[in-house]
Amino acid sequence: MSNRRNFLRNILAGATAFASAKVLAAQEAPDMSQPQDPHATTPPKHPHDHHEETPPPQLVETPDIPNLPYRLDGAIKEFHLIAEPVKRQIVPFKAMEVWGYNGSCPGPTIQANQGDRVRIIFDNHLPESTTLHWHGLEVPMEMDGLPYIAQKPIPPGGRFVYEFTLHQEGTYFYHSHGAMQEMMGMIGLFILHPEKPYKPKIDHDYGIILQEWAILPNSTVPNTANMEFNWLTFNGVSAPSITPMIARLGSRVKIRIVNLGMDHHPMHLHGNQFVVTGTEAGRTPESTWRRENTTLVGVAQARDIEFDAKYPGDWMLHCHLPHHMMNSMSDLLSDRQIMTAATNDPQALSQMQTLANSVPFQHIHHAPIADNANEVPGFPQDAFMDMGMDDAVAKPETHGLPRNWSANMMGMMTLVRVLPDKKFDEIMQMKKRGTADQPAPPTEHRHDGN
């Protein structure tokens, strides 16, 4: 290890010390700085015979999370990873202060190829010691990241260099091997592309990390010892802030789902059947694939699902645990409580409008309720949950969704938008230009449910 450190010290001599992930991104010139668009109008074709050159891998897109760039040191792909505190906006009206990597929580996605030699230069900018574990990867013992057994804990301000050869392929992830640090958000995807392209051919490849958080209304720091969670996220954000996944009608879609939290998540896709083609141990034999539309992703597990996008529409993908399909409603009420039996229409409207004004966004009235609603035992349930904020979460991927689409999008839910060519290409052009969706003109704000 000392020889390796001396070698690294020599090749990095004269380089400016990197203070943050933003500085790293600005100073590195990685091969993957211009990644292939996984939604390109004309995706690369797979070779028809052994005489054709194998195309570059189809990069995985992780909505709301960046890729980690690398540079080549000879034949070695060299990545820089920094553990540091991160501020993450969950939804327009709620932020959290967590821990992550390179300014992101979850950390940036590492993508490499089967057979690559990789080097991860890891700096610890946390106030306590930490390590990195490569979940599911078959690496030498001294690279495994288990504190004290595989390596000494990396102290605050310390650096450790991980280096190993990748002989697997599939969906893996990296994370701290401290239990409470994991609950503070310290995880990222590690995608290993196969030597030979997958069959059937994949046109759109997405990655999602599932996490839960316990954050009191007057706090921004998760309670990592709590067993009850009030914020549920995909890739560090909660619906409706989660960026929808876009697919061209007639394409084949792959979604990689990783869970590192305290709850298991039954992941359900509307309107389509899929097959589970991989786990945290890599791709599974086709003989084991089975048709499903809900698959349980357990703690520390990964599930790869694939389906043919043959039905146009905006299909929801979500955890089917009822409490995971909502945000913390205590943040929506000014008195920080949900007094179910006492809540009435004017009170709920006033509280939600106050919140909307603070962001700001236009609050649209919830779905209609009966005149005698408060006389019915158990009311309200879902009546005051609607919180439309289309304009606050607008982006190219939301273009064309119906007005107030965001009202019932909460917690662990997002959309897989299967679009015909014209609409698909329009959104892809918007993404390239970096222009956000322009919501439809607001309708008159009424309090009668119409």
Side-chain angles (χ1 to χ4, degrees):
M1 183 57 67
S2 61
N3 290 336
R4 182 178 292 129
R5 287 177 175 168
N6 289 335
F7 171 72
L8 286 169
R9 189 176 296 114
N10 291 333
I11 67 169
L12 294 174
T16 303
F18 299 127
S20 68
K22 292 183 179 179
V23 176
L24 275 174
Q27 292 188 349
E28 294 296 325
D31 290 355
M32 296 174 71
S33 61
Q34 300 294 330
Q36 169 193 322
D37 184 354
H39 303 305
T41 302
T42 307
K45 299 181 181 298
H46 290 296
H48 296 292
D49 58 59
H50 65 278
H51 296 294
E52 296 187 22
E53 183 179 351
T54 301
Q58 171 96 347
L59 292 184
V60 177
E61 184 173 349
T62 46
D64 306 304
I65 298 176
N67 281 317
L68 184 64
Y70 68 83
R71 71 177 184 181
L72 283 175
D73 178 19
I76 300 174
K77 290 182 178 176
E78 185 177 277
F79 298 85
H80 287 253
L81 203 57
I82 298 173
E84 60 186 354
V86 173
K87 187 171 184 178
R88 187 65 153 146
Q89 194 77 28
I90 314 176
V91 288
F93 57 88
K94 184 69 174 181
M96 59 181 177
E97 295 182 85
V98 290
W99 292 359
Y101 302 96
N102 295 54
S104 178
C105 177
T109 300
I110 299 175
Q111 302 199 46
N113 301 326
Q114 185 177 17
D116 282 349
R117 182 77 175 178
V118 297
R119 177 186 300 139
I120 296 93
I121 301 175
F122 178 65
D123 290 313
N124 181 15
H125 290 184
L126 297 173
E128 63 186 42
S129 297
T130 189
T131 61
L132 276 177
H133 172 61
W134 314 99
H135 194 103
L137 292 184
E138 297 168 359
V139 299
M141 180 66 197
E142 62 271 19
M143 297 289 107
D144 187 59
L146 186 60
Y148 299 106
I149 296 176
Q151 66 175 102
K152 293 181 179 178
I154 306 164
R159 167 175 287 189
F160 188 87
V161 178
Y162 296 91
E163 187 171 321
F164 42 83
T165 299
L166 305 170
H167 64 270
Q168 300 161 268
E169 52 83 24
T171 303
Y172 305 93
F173 48 105
Y174 62 91
H175 61 82
S176 162
H177 215 280
M180 296 295 95
Q181 291 180 3
E182 291 178 20
M183 295 303 294
M184 275 294 281
M186 303 192 71
I187 178 178
L189 283 170
F190 200 137
I191 306 297
L192 304 188
H193 297 283
E195 290 180 344
K196 296 181 179 180
Y198 290 135
K199 293 183 179 179
K201 172 181 169 289
I202 301 298
D203 299 301
H204 306 288
D205 200 337
Y206 287 99
I208 295 174
I209 292 177
L210 315 178
Q211 291 170 292
E212 312 99 32
W213 314 90
I215 309 174
L216 296 176
N218 292 318
S219 176
T220 56
V221 179
N223 180 348
T224 57
N226 202 321
M227 299 293 286
E228 296 182 3
F229 308 103
N230 58 349
W231 286 97
L232 296 305
T233 60
F234 286 175
N235 290 352
V237 290
S238 188
S241 290
I242 301 168
T243 299
M245 292 173 278
I246 309 297
R248 187 188 295 276
L249 182 64
S251 65
R252 187 170 179 87
V253 181
K254 180 172 185 171
I255 304 176
R256 306 161 187 257
I257 307 171
V258 165
N259 178 14
L260 189 65
M262 287 290 291
D263 288 337
H264 305 304
H265 299 289
M267 297 300 297
H268 172 60
L269 177 63
H270 288 204
N272 294 269
Q273 316 304 320
F274 56 73
V275 289
V276 177
T277 60
T279 72
E280 68 284 350
R283 195 165 179 86
T284 58
E286 189 170 350
S287 60
T288 67
W289 298 0
R290 62 186 184 276
R291 287 166 55 84
E292 301 180 0
N293 56 47
T294 305
T295 187
L296 186 65
V297 186
V299 173
Q301 289 184 335
R303 292 292 180 267
D304 296 345
I305 66 173
E306 296 180 24
F307 65 97
D308 293 321
K310 54 187 177 181
Y311 303 117
D314 302 314
W315 304 111
M316 182 176 286
L317 174 70
H318 66 96
C319 174
H320 220 294
L321 290 177
H323 281 190
H324 293 187
M325 294 188 285
M326 62 183 74
N327 294 329
S328 176
M329 295 307 291
S330 59
D331 283 283
L332 302 182
L333 303 178
S334 59
D335 60 359
R336 305 302 186 184
Q337 298 180 51
I338 299 179
M339 302 300 292
T340 304
T343 302
N344 56 64
D345 198 28
Q347 180 187 21
L349 283 170
S350 175
Q351 292 165 337
M352 289 187 172
Q353 187 60 52
T354 299
L355 173 66
N357 290 340
S358 70
V359 173
F361 58 86
Q362 183 201 13
H363 170 54
I364 302 173
H365 193 284
H366 52 75
I369 60 175
D371 292 338
N372 67 337
N374 283 302
E375 300 174 14
V376 179
F379 176 83
Q381 294 299 322
D382 291 299
F384 302 124
M385 299 277 288
D386 289 1
M387 195 66 183
M389 55 186 83
D390 296 7
D391 47 353
V393 297
K395 58 192 70 174
E397 291 86 350
T398 66
H399 176 68
L401 288 172
R403 182 66 181 169
N404 210 30
W405 69 269
S406 61
N408 203 238
M409 297 287 292
M410 292 175 284
M412 282 182 160
M413 57 177 64
T414 189
L415 296 174
V416 181
R417 306 190 64 194
V418 178
L419 305 175
D421 289 349
K422 183 178 179 180
K423 186 174 289 187
F424 177 89
D425 291 338
E426 183 180 4
I427 289 180
M428 291 302 103
Q429 288 300 317
M430 293 176 66
K431 288 182 65 175
K432 288 180 180 179
R433 294 194 305 265
T435 55
D437 185 23
Q438 296 299 317
T443 56
E444 181 183 355
H445 185 87
R446 302 178 61 177
H447 287 189
D448 58 3
N450 295 318

